[in-house]
């Protein structure tokens, strides 16, 4: 097996093989347990060991394991899940285009919808898409090009070229680039309500409302990449609700099924759907994947939403928000830490100081390994910050345990 994002020269023969999980804890093949501070990759929101989700998949697979969704076909769980998602998003009369592989497929699909939309409404010149520094929009070709983390893009050279980048926290930079490129050439702006893989950066006060307005003023589609922030992570159903946004499109994945089966979606508002759905339109969005709207994945999505609603997990995330900030606060005083970031839901980061990283570039990887030896899984974001994005079922005591283990892993560097 060739692992994603791994140096196989050092990883081969040393993988940590996971075998089971319960709540916020996973167990490896040697029987060791780990508190999963990152919910796998930001997604096991309802926690591990949910038999209900396995049963939903099983029941659907016994009935109709799979069927395609091209052209006229669909399935009962796909239709039901589309209705259910459309009812909770902050977009009136939304349509849901399911993608099979997760967020990367959703991002590439949204980018293609944006470009097809401008052609359909007679402005085919509006093909440039703008994204931000520190952005992560998945690893398909479009998402890689939209990404703002140089280590992820540099090895591949130019992929999609009609892309521009702006500073992640400066709304005026967006206005300036639109002016430079020309509003008649810019089709969309993609942004994560909270930047995730780039290091967990919360938006500066007013930033998101301002960029949304700049997009409106310049006739540019505003696309919220909610692959991490969707389905409760910020303490509201969507980051767009938390920050008072009404995007033209949203991309989602991860928390849609809590990762029990892979599934993503683009959620598009009436402005975007109109040329394709309007009575008499001959427009066809010629895009889709073999496993788009996979019935078993959609059945899991429905059962996952049942759990989130029944157990009131979104308000629980909101309640745990101060507990997370409280638990991590002591780390801000650590000699190797420059910043602790919390502020919305169960999302946080502990940034290692630039001095420590420059003095010893291996420090981050060692701290991650030391935390794992002490029973807590985290990872290093963009080479600078430790990630915290636990399952929504985590307890305040477990949040403190994460913080204590981080402190011990950092202290080990000083001894
Ligand atoms: C904001 C965002 N968009 C897109 C993606 C890509 O999702 P996936 O890895 O499921 O393809 C991710 C993954 O972490 C993400 O955080």
């Amino acid at each position: 097996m060739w692992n994603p994002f791994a140096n196989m020269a050092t990883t081969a023969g040393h993988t940590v093989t996971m075998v089971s999980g319960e709540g916020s804890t996973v167990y490896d093949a040697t029987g060791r347990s780990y508190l999963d501070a990152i919910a796998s990759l930001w997604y096991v929101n309802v926690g591990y060991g949910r038999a209900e989700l396995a049963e939903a998949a099983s029941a659907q697979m016994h009935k109709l394991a799979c069927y395609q969704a091209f052209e006229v076909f669909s399935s009962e769980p796909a239709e039901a899940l589309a209705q259910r998602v459309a009812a909770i998003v902050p977009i009136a009369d939304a349509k849901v285009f399911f993608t099979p592989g997760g967020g990367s497929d959703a991002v590439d699909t949204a980018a293609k919808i944006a470009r097809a939309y401008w052609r359909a409404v007679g402005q085919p010149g509006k093909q440039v898409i703008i994204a931000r520094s520190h952005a992560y929009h998945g690893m398909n070709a479009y998402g890689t090009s939209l990404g703002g983390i140089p280590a992820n893009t540099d090895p591949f050279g130019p992929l999609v070229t009609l892309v521009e980048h702006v500073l992640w926290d400066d709304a005026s930079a967006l206005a300036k680039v639109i002016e430079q490129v020309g509003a008649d050439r810019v089709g969309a702006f993609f942004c994560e309500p909270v930047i995730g893989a780039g290091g967990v950066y919360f938006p500066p006060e007013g930033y998101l409302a301002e960029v949304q307005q700049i997009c409106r003023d310049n006739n540019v589609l505003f696309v919220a990449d909610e692959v991490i922030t969707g389905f409760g992570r910020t303490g509201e159903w969507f980051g767009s609700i938390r920050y008072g946004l009404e995007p033209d499109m949203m991309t989602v994945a991860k928390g849609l099924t809590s990762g029990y089966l892979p599934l993503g979606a683009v959620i598009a508002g009436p402005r975007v759907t109109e040329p394709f759905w309007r009575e008499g339109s001959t427009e066809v969005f010629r895009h889709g994947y073999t496993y788009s709207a996979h019935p078993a994945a959609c059945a899991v999505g429905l059962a996952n939403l049942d759990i989130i609603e029944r157990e009131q997990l979104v308000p629980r995330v909101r309640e745990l928000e101060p507990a997370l900030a409280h638990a991590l606060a002591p780390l801000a005083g650590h000699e190797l830490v420059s910043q602790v970031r919390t502020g919305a839901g169960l999302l946080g980061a502990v940034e290692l100081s630039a001095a420590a990283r420059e003095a010893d570039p291996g420090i981050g990887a060692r701290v991650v390994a030391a935390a794992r030896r002490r029973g807590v899984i985290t990872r290093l974001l963009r080479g600078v910050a430790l990630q915290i994005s636990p399952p929504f079922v985590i307890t305040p005591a477990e949040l403190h345990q994460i913080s204590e283990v981080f402190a011990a892993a950092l202290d080990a560097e000083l001894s």
Side-chain angles (χ1 to χ4, degrees):
M1 177 172 161
W2 187 350
N3 293 50
F5 284 86
N7 173 353
M8 292 314 293
T10 54
T11 302
H14 300 283
T15 49
V16 181
T17 307
M18 294 303 184
V19 294
S20 63
E22 190 64 38
S24 300
T25 302
V26 283
Y27 300 84
D28 74 13
T30 70
R32 290 198 60 173
S33 71
Y34 306 87
L35 182 53
D36 190 3
I38 56 177
S40 189
L41 287 172
W42 327 80
Y43 65 73
V44 190
N45 293 352
V46 297
Y48 299 94
R50 296 284 193 167
E52 192 176 335
L53 298 188
E55 279 151 19
S58 170
Q60 182 58 41
M61 291 175 85
H62 278 97
K63 193 173 173 196
L64 177 69
C66 50
Y67 204 76
Q68 55 135 331
F70 278 27
E71 299 171 342
V72 299
F73 297 108
S74 79
S75 67
E76 287 171 335
E79 286 174 16
L81 186 60
Q83 294 280 358
R84 190 96 174 254
V85 169
I88 56 172
V89 292
I91 302 176
D93 194 22
K95 310 293 186 211
V96 180
F97 190 105
F98 287 115
T99 58
S104 301
D105 290 350
V107 165
D108 277 41
T109 299
K112 287 176 72 177
I113 290 176
R115 292 178 63 154
Y117 166 80
W118 288 114
R119 282 184 186 276
V121 297
Q123 290 182 263
K126 283 172 79 75
Q127 301 287 296
V128 173
I129 299 183
I130 302 175
R132 298 193 288 166
S133 58
H134 296 346
Y136 187 89
H137 295 295
M139 289 289 107
N140 286 353
Y142 231 125
T144 302
S145 296
L146 290 171
I149 303 173
N152 290 346
T153 48
D154 289 355
F156 309 107
L159 297 171
V160 180
T161 52
L162 293 171
V163 165
E164 297 285 341
H165 284 95
V166 291
L167 270 182
W168 73 275
D169 57 349
D170 179 2
S172 68
L174 175 63
K176 207 149 128 200
V177 167
I178 294 174
E179 196 187 329
Q180 277 163 1
V181 174
D184 57 336
R185 292 189 58 231
V186 179
F189 173 62
F190 276 56
C191 78
E192 297 157 85
V194 178
I195 285 178
V200 183
Y201 290 96
F202 299 93
E205 183 77 35
Y207 169 86
L208 291 169
E210 209 178 324
V211 288
Q212 178 174 266
Q213 192 56 47
I214 290 168
C215 288
R216 299 263 185 283
D217 293 347
N218 287 280
N219 208 17
V220 166
L221 297 177
F222 178 67
V223 184
D225 184 347
E226 296 243 17
V227 168
I228 287 174
T229 52
F231 302 99
R233 174 64 59 193
T234 67
E236 293 284 352
W237 271 112
F238 295 92
S240 291
I241 297 175
R242 175 86 198 226
Y243 296 107
L245 307 171
E246 199 181 328
D248 295 302
M249 281 192 275
M250 292 165 47
T251 48
V252 297
K254 300 187 190 280
L256 173 56
T257 55
S258 289
Y260 275 62
L261 282 178
L263 185 68
V266 177
I267 300 153
R271 173 179 184 179
V272 171
T273 57
E274 199 271 345
F276 303 96
W277 283 64
R278 182 185 59 223
E279 178 122 15
S281 169
T282 55
E283 288 294 340
V284 174
F285 180 48
R286 295 196 63 81
H287 174 90
Y289 304 90
T290 295
Y291 303 123
S292 286
H294 194 283
C298 290
V300 169
L302 286 166
N304 177 58
L305 294 182
D306 286 343
I307 292 174
I308 296 175
E309 283 175 7
R310 190 177 65 234
E311 298 184 8
Q312 293 283 297
L313 292 181
V314 181
R316 179 186 168 84
V317 170
R318 194 66 180 242
E319 276 163 35
L320 286 172
E321 183 178 306
L324 175 65
H326 183 252
L328 296 182
L331 295 171
H334 197 281
E335 159 178 359
L336 297 175
V337 171
S338 56
Q339 196 179 38
V340 170
R341 290 191 280 277
T342 54
L346 283 174
L347 276 171
V350 176
E351 182 153 328
L352 305 180
S353 75
R357 287 183 282 112
E358 276 154 26
D360 179 356
I363 188 171
R366 283 201 310 276
V367 170
V368 167
R372 193 165 72 228
R373 279 197 302 277
R374 289 168 171 79
V376 168
I377 296 179
T378 181
R379 67 188 186 123
L380 196 63
L381 298 172
R382 208 170 42 81
V384 303
L386 304 173
Q387 173 183 338
I388 301 112
S389 58
F392 299 171
V393 293
I394 197 152
T395 63
E398 287 173 325
L399 292 173
H400 279 283
Q401 189 185 336
I402 291 170
S403 182
E404 279 159 19
V405 165
F406 279 15
L410 289 160
D411 285 346
E413 288 293 322
L414 299 174
S415 56

